[in-house]
Amino acid sequence: LVAALVAGLLSLLVLPTRWDATASLLMTILKPSVSLDPRLQTVSDEDLVRISSSDDRGRRETLLELVLSDGVVGQLWQEASGDLPVNVETVTDLKERLAPGARANVLNLTVRGDTPAQAAHLANLWAQVAEQRINALYSQTMQLPAQATAQAAAAQKSYLDAEQALIVFLQGS
């Protein structure tokens, strides 16, 4: 009993303490819509195809692999170069301290650090790097607001002209 107590006390003093911190990313799909007439609904390709839970599972698995990719971890390594844990000497060592997980629409990125502040800093930095990479890969190229406004105005004029022509036609029939 005394030996177990001494061994436990020595392990607290000799073994370094590790701290985990988690940063979370919400996974959403943003879809812009333009409404020329409140009676008509904008429909995208994704709306036409019912997204199943297996699609969500596949997306989660893809994102989990992406956040552990050499590109993401390498960028994290570069950006955190001054605040890495003591025994982390390579990108592979850093990757061993990273633990991504996903539940529903939340991507959890957990980092093991030497101090609570270091773990939190690395987790937040990893989330920023992952968010930038995910958005760069999955975000659609957006039009400039002026271009979209001009196109919407032209489309609305064409729509109103066609609607007026239909009214005139129906009245003449």
Side-chain angles (χ1 to χ4, degrees), residues 15-16 19 23 25 40-41 45 47 52 55 57 70 74-75 77 88 117 125-127 130 136-137 148-149 158 168 170:
L15 294 177
W19 300 91
L25 294 174
L40 302 175
Q41 181 182 5
D45 292 340
D47 294 331
S52 68
D55 292 337
R57 185 174 46 252
D70 291 339
Q75 186 176 347
W77 168 269
V88 173
L125 189 57
W126 187 22
L137 291 173
T149 303
S158 295
V168 170
L170 291 175

Side-chain angles (χ1 to χ4, degrees), residues 25 27-28 62-64 66-67 72 107 109 127-139:
L25 294 174
M27 299 180 289
T28 61
T62 300
L63 293 176
L64 288 173
L66 179 63
V67 298
V72 171
L107 189 63
L109 306 176
Q128 289 172 358
V129 169
E131 178 185 15
Q132 290 169 356
R133 183 64 55 97
I134 291 166
N135 286 338
L137 291 173
Y138 289 101
S139 294

Side-chain angles (χ1 to χ4, degrees), residues 97-118:
R97 291 184 173 244
L98 307 178
R103 181 174 224 181
N105 287 336
V106 178
L107 189 63
N108 294 310
L109 306 176
T110 302
V111 178
R112 177 160 286 169
D114 294 335
T115 66
Q118 181 187 61

Side-chain angles (χ1 to χ4, degrees), residues 31-32 42-51 140:
K31 297 182 294 183
T42 303
V43 179
S44 67
D45 292 340
E46 292 86 13
D47 294 331
L48 298 175
V49 179
R50 185 172 184 271
I51 297 176
Q140 296 178 0

Side-chain angles (χ1 to χ4, degrees), residues 22-34:
T22 301
S24 299
L25 294 174
L26 180 63
M27 299 180 289
T28 61
I29 298 174
L30 299 177
K31 297 182 294 183
S33 65
V34 177

